[in-house]
Amino acid sequence: MYDRPRPHQAQPATTFDQMLERVRYEGAYPTRERAEEAVRAVLAALGRQLVGDERVDLAQCLPVEAALALTAQIPATERLTGWGFVKDLATRTGTSPAVARWDTGAVLAAVARLAGPDLLARILRQLPDGYALLFGQAELRRPQPAA
């Protein structure tokens, strides 16, 4: 299955440079290059976790370069919790979990703005527990089925 644009949806209004500047500001990164490293690594990691319509719709909200980083990844068979996502990112990037958590928060805050509340809610429903905080949202408990 290929991720392809859906008809009748507008192209993103934000450029990749604007997205990088937002992430650079959010993450207090010293350079644009450092912000770009974080964007590419976090979106690649998210691309391994996100599937289906939410993946396609999110890609359409992002600038082309960011969408390519997201969709170039084959979704993983193992679903990671939010903390698992951060630990996996730290391992793949060779950084500490603290740095990976910082990068994740800076990038996903910008992604949340671009996605908007409706798509973000759909994304969070698809992902395991722990991702809302990574996107800068309150982590609401899901109702547990009665035993």
Side-chain angles (χ1 to χ4, degrees):
M1 174 178 183
Y2 296 101
D3 292 335
R4 60 179 184 248
R6 296 201 174 168
H8 310 300
Q9 289 194 346
Q11 294 296 351
T14 300
T15 67
F16 190 59
D17 286 336
Q18 290 169 326
M19 181 182 184
L20 291 179
E21 284 305 312
R22 170 58 73 180
V23 170
R24 184 175 177 194
Y25 176 79
E26 291 283 337
Y29 296 114
T31 64
R32 181 185 182 278
E33 290 75 22
R34 177 63 186 96
E36 185 171 352
E37 286 174 19
V39 166
R40 292 188 186 281
V42 171
L43 288 177
L46 184 61
R48 289 188 289 277
Q49 295 298 309
L50 202 56
V51 296
D53 289 342
E54 288 76 17
R55 178 183 169 106
V56 174
D57 293 347
L58 179 58
Q60 289 183 326
C61 294
L62 299 174
V64 172
E65 299 89 339
L68 290 173
L70 176 82
T71 59
Q73 303 302 309
I74 296 171
T77 56
E78 179 186 2
R79 303 294 298 209
L80 299 174
T81 64
W83 177 237
F85 178 89
V86 170
K87 290 191 302 187
D88 182 64
L89 181 63
T91 300
R92 288 175 186 269
T93 58
T95 61
S96 70
V99 170
R101 173 61 182 95
W102 185 269
D103 290 349
T104 299
V107 173
L108 294 185
V111 169
R113 273 191 216 81
L114 292 171
D118 294 338
L119 177 55
L120 182 58
R122 289 177 31 222
I123 290 168
L124 292 175
R125 278 193 299 272
Q126 182 190 115
L127 295 170
D129 289 339
Y131 282 86
L133 291 174
L134 299 178
F135 279 96
Q137 306 293 307
E139 181 77 44
L140 302 176
R141 294 191 56 119
R142 296 179 181 162
Q144 300 297 320

